[in-house]
Amino acid sequence: MKSKFLRILGVLIFMSFYQQSFAQNSEVKRSDLYSRGIENNTFIKKGQWLTGATFNYSEHANDNYKFLILEDWSGKGYNFQVSPFVAYFLNDNFSIGGRFTYNRSLLDIDELNLKIGDDLSMSINGAHYLSHTFYSTFFIRNYLSLGKSNRFGLFNEVRLSYGYGQSKEMTIGQTPAETQGIYSVINEFNIGVAPGLVAFINDNVALEASIGLIGFSNKWTKQVENQVEEGERRVSKANFNIDIFSLNIGLAFYL
């Protein structure tokens, strides 16, 4: 499996470098080729630094809420994520960099009834879930200006990341013996491609938005229940579609 991911990563990095090399050599003998009017302008110059961060936060609170098969839902929760990054431009419109991401989630359920049919229902009276995950990411970016504008541009980012996290789950039973607690350790490996849009507010400050488009991930989870029973789960998946839940909006500084 590791060799498979390394091969995929090699292909993605080769495509990124090839795109940069092709853009530099595309001006040679252009008159002999069919021209589509696409110009390769210098959007970000060689030698510049890029730094910034993205931030996401959401929360919810429910009081006797009903939705489809969910009834009498009372509880609260939140999701928080912050991701600072830094990169250096090795060439015009081409940079390499790193990103650190921290994600934390909380879900408290005081009461929840699931009613699937007249003869099938399920109730949860007290549940708690808390998780936090750290990600380290290496990325490569290529930029393309929109027309002759130096204010708006597009970029394509190839990412390789590793994540480590922990989570705690507790379900309260009618008696202490029925109360269940689960502790999990999570390891995650991801390769992905994320196109985005950049808009400069002034010469050095810009707003960025990116969204996951193609991704490969492998996730391992080890659990310990009530400090006695152990379990494991492994999930591998590939995505070839637009993931709106991976939308990131942030502020970037070009120095």
Side-chain angles (χ1 to χ4, degrees):
M1 181 61 68
K2 290 184 179 179
S3 61
K4 178 180 179 181
F5 278 115
L6 291 175
R7 288 196 299 269
I8 295 172
L9 174 62
V11 172
L12 292 175
I13 293 177
F14 172 78
M15 291 174 62
S16 183
F17 277 100
Y18 177 79
Q19 179 182 353
Q20 178 69 13
S21 175
F22 178 79
Q24 292 178 344
N25 297 326
S26 61
E27 296 180 358
V28 179
K29 298 182 180 179
R30 183 180 293 272
S31 59
D32 297 334
L33 301 175
Y34 178 81
S35 176
R36 300 183 184 274
I38 300 176
E39 298 183 8
N40 182 38
N41 299 323
T42 299
F43 189 65
I44 307 295
K45 291 185 178 181
K46 174 184 177 181
Q48 282 196 266
W49 284 92
L50 165 64
T51 183
T54 60
F55 177 83
N56 292 316
Y57 179 77
S58 63
E59 64 176 319
H60 65 87
N62 305 316
D63 184 11
N64 199 29
Y65 180 69
K66 294 179 174 61
F67 179 72
L68 298 178
I69 63 174
L70 305 179
E71 295 184 357
D72 306 321
W73 184 3
S74 297
K76 60 182 179 180
Y78 68 80
N79 184 74
F80 167 79
Q81 178 175 295
V82 60
S83 180
F85 58 88
V86 63
Y88 179 75
F89 285 81
L90 297 177
N91 212 331
D92 292 346
N93 301 335
F94 177 78
S95 67
I96 62 172
R99 176 184 288 105
F100 175 79
T101 304
Y102 173 70
N103 182 277
R104 183 180 180 90
S105 299
L106 171 70
L107 177 62
D108 279 325
I109 299 177
D110 298 327
E111 182 181 2
L112 176 62
N113 296 318
L114 284 76
K115 189 174 182 180
I116 302 176
D118 295 335
D119 300 325
L120 184 59
S121 62
M122 176 181 175
S123 297
I124 299 176
N125 295 309
H128 175 80
Y129 174 81
L130 175 65
S131 71
H132 59 91
T133 310
F134 302 88
Y135 293 93
S136 297
T137 304
F138 169 78
F139 66 85
I140 297 173
R141 274 193 186 186
N142 285 306
Y143 285 77
L144 177 67
S145 62
L146 291 178
K148 296 182 179 180
S149 172
N150 287 325
R151 182 174 295 273
F152 300 98
L154 303 173
F155 65 83
N156 185 51
E157 183 174 300
V158 179
R159 302 172 176 174
L160 169 65
S161 67
Y162 167 75
Y164 172 83
Q166 299 173 331
S167 69
K168 298 179 180 179
E169 305 173 44
M170 183 177 66
T171 303
I172 301 175
Q174 296 181 355
T175 65
E178 295 177 348
T179 298
Q180 183 183 51
I182 299 175
Y183 171 76
S184 302
V185 175
I186 303 167
N187 289 275
E188 189 173 353
F189 179 77
N190 297 289
I191 299 175
V193 176
L197 173 69
V198 57
F200 277 87
I201 301 174
N202 56 36
D203 290 341
N204 301 107
V205 182
L207 290 174
E208 292 187 353
S210 63
I211 189 168
L213 181 62
I214 299 175
F216 304 88
S217 67
N218 205 347
K219 186 175 182 180
W220 302 266
T221 303
K222 292 185 177 181
Q223 294 182 333
V224 179
E225 181 180 342
N226 293 339
Q227 298 184 355
V228 177
E229 298 182 6
E230 296 184 355
E232 294 186 7
R233 185 172 188 243
R234 181 174 178 177
V235 178
S236 300
K237 63 180 180 179
N239 294 321
F240 295 90
N241 56 4
I242 296 177
D243 183 6
I244 62 174
F245 296 103
S246 67
L247 176 65
N248 286 307
I249 299 175
L251 193 65
F253 299 89
Y254 292 78
L255 309 175

